[in-house]
Amino acid sequence: GSMHDVDDISFVRIYFDENQNGVPEASERVGQDVYDADNGTITFDLDSPAQLRVGNNDFLITYQF
């Protein structure tokens, strides 16, 4: 589109959707990073390990402009 990702996106956050409601909640945030290179890749260093359930696990990604 017309966005310049590196300048327009300030934070990218990842949430482990533990209650599977599709809503990113502060208590579910497991990491955040800045989008500093428009190369199609972002790497998250998690704040703490996430315990995954057996079966499906959902993560939500949000962008702050």
Side-chain angles (χ1 to χ4, degrees):
S2 61
M3 280 184 44
H4 187 260
D5 300 345
V6 173
D7 295 328
D8 294 340
I9 298 173
S10 54
F11 286 104
V12 181
R13 293 183 173 109
I14 185 169
Y15 299 82
F16 177 48
D17 193 17
E18 292 182 78
N19 59 13
Q20 298 178 316
N21 68 354
V23 177
E25 299 171 17
S27 63
E28 297 176 329
R29 191 174 83 200
V30 293
Q32 83 176 22
D33 206 340
V34 294
Y35 191 71
D36 59 1
D38 195 2
N39 62 6
T41 302
I42 188 165
T43 301
F44 290 100
D45 292 322
L46 302 184
D47 298 336
S48 62
Q51 181 68 39
L52 302 179
R53 295 181 298 271
V54 174
N56 293 335
N57 291 275
D58 298 315
F59 287 88
L60 305 170
I61 306 291
T62 63
Y63 298 89
Q64 180 177 334
F65 297 93

